[in-house]
Amino acid sequence: VCGFGMTETAITSVETDMSLRSRLKASVGRPLSNIDYKIIPNGTNENVGEMLIKSNAIHIAKLEGGKQVDPERIDCDWFPTGDIVRIEKDKRVFVEGRCKDLIINESGENVYPDEIEDFFSVLNNVEQFSVVGIKKHKNDIYEDICLVLNLGENYYNDNFTTQLVNEINNINSKLSVIKRINRVIVTPEKLPLVNVIKVKRLELKSNIENNKIIYKDLSLERKESIKSKSEPQVFVNKSHHELEINEIKNKVADAFSEILEISKDNIQYDAHFIDDLGGDSLQILSLALKVEELFSVNIEVVEYPQCTSINDISSLLYRKIKGLKNYESETERGDFLEKVIPIKNFKDSPEYIEFHEREQSLLKNPEDNPYFVRHESPLLDVSLMDGHEVLNFGSYNYACLSGRKEVNDAAKRAIDKYGTSASGSRLLAGEKQIHRDLEAAIAKFKNAEDAIVLVGGHSTNVTFIGNFCSKKDLILYDALAHNSIEEGCRLSEATAKPFPHNDIKLLEQMLKVHRDKYEKILIVIEGVYSMDGDIADVPAFVALKKRYGCFLFVDEAHSTCVIGENGGGVDEYFNLAPDDIDIKMGTLSKGLGTCGGYLAGSKELINYLRYSLPGFVFSVGISPALAGATLEAINLMQTDKTIMERMRRNIKCFVDQAKKLNFNICLAGETAIIPILVGSDKNAFILSNAMSKNGIFVPPAVYPAVPKNKARLRFCVVSDHKPEQIKHALNTLAAVAKSLDIQLPR
Ligand SMILES: Cc1ncc(COP(=O)(O)O)c(C=O)c1O
C-alpha cells in the first residue's frame, strides 16, 4: 500500500491496487475516506484542474504579530494544493503538473508570482495585491506578469494612481528583466481569498479574464520611454547595468541549452555553437533573438558571428549593457588596431588568397568543376552542353519562353525598331513606348495598379530594399531570403533583422516587441524559396502585416509563371486581393525567359519610385530587345494555356516518381524546384558529376547555400519536359547512387 500527501498535510490518498499494470499508470491513489477532494477546472474538462483538499489532516497555522492564532479563528475551508490533477471515474487521482500560478511570459521563462509579490509588499495605501499571469488575448501563448491591486476608494483618485505607477516602476526596475511585471490592473473590489491572507490567484485571474470585477489597466510607460520612440536603436536598458558577467553567462548558457536541447552541464563556455555543439545558422538566429528579449538589447546581424560561444555572446552583451553603444565602433577599434600593412597588389589581399586556394582545390580535376558549365543552346528540356545533348534539370527557364520562336521574333523586331540599348536613363533620354507597354502588361499580369521595370532582378531588390526604409524604420526578412534581399538590408539605413524561415509565430512576437519603436516596418518574404521549393504561407503574412500596420514585400522570382492557374504567382494561387501585397517584386530572368526585374504596386508608390529609386533613375532603361521579348512572353503566358498545364503535369510526375523511389524532396511538392536531399556536400558534387556523365544536367546545392549536411541535387522542372525524361532522370539517379554506394536520406 502506498500513501501520498503534501508536506503541509498528512497522507491524503492511498494506492491499494496490487496489479503491476495499474501501478505503472502512476496514480497517487484514491482519497482516504475522511478527506474531501475538489477540482477547480482549468479548461473544459471538469475533472482536470487545481486540487483542493478539505480535512482535519491539514495542518493549519497562522501567525499574527509573531504569535500563533487560535486555529478556531482561522477561516480555513478548502486548502489549495497548487497541483493540477486529473481525477478518473474510479476516483483515482493523477498529478498532471504544477499549478497555473506559474507564469510563462514572453521570454518563455517560468516565473513564480510568490517571488515577485514580496517586492511589492512595500507599496503604500494598497489594500490587497497579488501577482498573476494573464493573457492579453484568449489565444495568446504567453501571459503578462500582472500586478493586481485592490485600491479601495483610491481607485478613483488619479493623483494617487500616478504616484503609484512611479513607485511600481521603481520597484520593477530592480527586478531582473524576465521577472518584471508588464501589466498593472487596479480594482476597487476585494480580491478573493483562500484563507485570511492568501489570494486565490486562479479565481482572480478568471474574474479579470471574464470581466467579472470592475478593473482598469494602469499604463506603466514613463516619459523617457516615449522619447525612445524617436530613437529606435535603443541598446541599453540602464537597469541591466548591475547584471554582472557571470549572471549573464548563466542566462546565456540557459538559452544555449534550450535551443540546442543539450543539458547545460554538458556545454563548455568556450564551445563553438556550430563546430562543437552541432548547432546551425538558423539556431544562431533563434539564439540571438532569445538573448535580445532576455536582455533588452539589439543585436545587429553583423554581430551574429560574435554569438557563437557563451563567452563571446556574454562579453558582447556585457559591453552593450555597460553602454558601449557600438560594439566595434571606429574609435573603440582604433585602440586595439595592430599596425596596418597597406595592400598594393590585389593578389596579396586576404580575400584573394582565400579565393585562390579554394579555386585551386576545385580545379584539381577541371572536369569535376560544377561551375561555369557551358551550354551552347537555350536551356529547354534538353540543352547542348560541351557539344553533347543533355537532359536539362538545372535552369530557371520554367515556362521555356527563352528560346521560344515568338519571343525571339519579338526581340528582333524591337532591335530593328529601337536598336540594342535604351541609351540612357529613362528619366532623361532612354524612355520608349515599349517600356511603358511592358510595365502596363506586368501590372495587369500581377493584378496591380502600376509597375516599374529595372535592368536586373538582383539590383531591383538591392535598390528597393536599400532605399525604401529610413533610419527610423525596421526591415524584417525571412532568414532564407535571397542574397539580393540581404544586400538590400545591408545597404539600408534601417535596422534589419531576419526571422526564422516561415516562422509566422516568431515574426509576430518580434512585431509585438518592435512595432511601436519604428515608423515603417517592411516584411520581406519570397513566394517560393529557391533551395527547398516551398511556398510561403502568404495569406498569414498578409494578415500579420494588416494587424500590425506594416508593408509586405514578396519576391516572386520562383513563383511567377510557376504557380497559380495562369502562372500569375502567389496572388493567383492564394486568390489575394490586389493590395494585399504592397510590393510585388519579380525577375524577368526566370519564368519570363529574359532579363530584368520589376516592382508592382499602387500607382502612388510606383510613380514615386520612377522619380526617386536610385537603381532606376541612375541606371539605363532595360534594353528594347528584352522589353519586346518580355512583352511577348507575358502575352504567351496569358494565351497559351498548355504552358501551365504541362508545368503542373511535370511537377506532379516528378514528385510521384521521386516518392516512388523513396527520395527525400525536402519541403517541395507544388513548385518547379524539387530538390533531392543528398546529405554531404562531397556526395552532392559526386552525384552531380555522375549524372552529367549519364547525360543529365542537375547542379548541386551545398553549404552555405543550404545548411551543413543538407546538400542536395536541385532539380528544376520546366514545361517542355516529357514524363519519360523525368522518370529516366530519377531512375538514373537511383542507379548511379547505388553504383557509387551512396545512401540517400529517405
Ligand atoms: C529569390 C530571388 N530573387 C532575386 C533574384 C535575382 O534575379 P536575377 O537573377 O534576375 O537578377 C534571384 C535569382 O536567382 C532569386 O532567386
Side-chain angles (χ1 to χ4, degrees), residues 396 456-458 461 482 484 526 530 555 557-558 585 587-590 596:
Y396 295 144
H458 190 282
N461 276 345
H482 189 253
S484 50
E526 293 177 24
S530 59
D555 177 334
H558 301 284
M585 180 272 167
T587 66
L588 307 183
S589 65
K590 307 209 161 39

Side-chain angles (χ1 to χ4, degrees), residues 637-703:
M637 281 309 295
Q638 287 166 334
T639 51
D640 180 355
K641 299 288 172 206
T642 75
I643 296 176
M644 286 306 296
E645 283 162 16
R646 286 179 285 128
M647 176 93 67
R648 279 190 279 274
R649 175 201 65 191
N650 291 344
I651 293 170
K652 181 169 183 324
C653 170
F654 193 105
V655 170
D656 289 349
Q657 184 68 8
K659 285 191 176 156
K660 202 161 136 196
L661 293 169
N662 277 326
F663 289 140
N664 182 332
I665 57 169
C666 304
L667 305 172
E670 283 187 80
T671 78
I673 299 170
I674 312 171
I676 303 270
L677 193 64
V678 172
S680 73
D681 290 359
K682 189 168 144 238
N683 283 346
F685 283 123
I686 292 175
L687 283 174
S688 171
N689 281 325
M691 290 291 277
S692 151
K693 283 181 189 132
N694 280 275
I696 298 159
F697 171 61
V698 52
V702 298
Y703 180 82

Side-chain angles (χ1 to χ4, degrees), residues 108-125:
E109 286 290 331
N110 291 351
V111 177
Y112 296 94
D114 286 332
E115 290 174 69
I116 308 173
E117 263 176 13
D118 283 351
F119 289 89
F120 293 94
S121 59
V122 294
L123 289 175
N124 289 318
N125 298 319

Side-chain angles (χ1 to χ4, degrees), residues 79-98:
F79 174 72
T81 62
D83 283 335
I84 297 292
V85 302
R86 182 181 86 244
I87 297 196
E88 299 278 71
K89 276 203 190 80
D90 62 1
K91 297 259 184 302
R92 274 203 166 70
V93 176
F94 292 79
V95 178
E96 300 230 305
R98 291 197 298 274

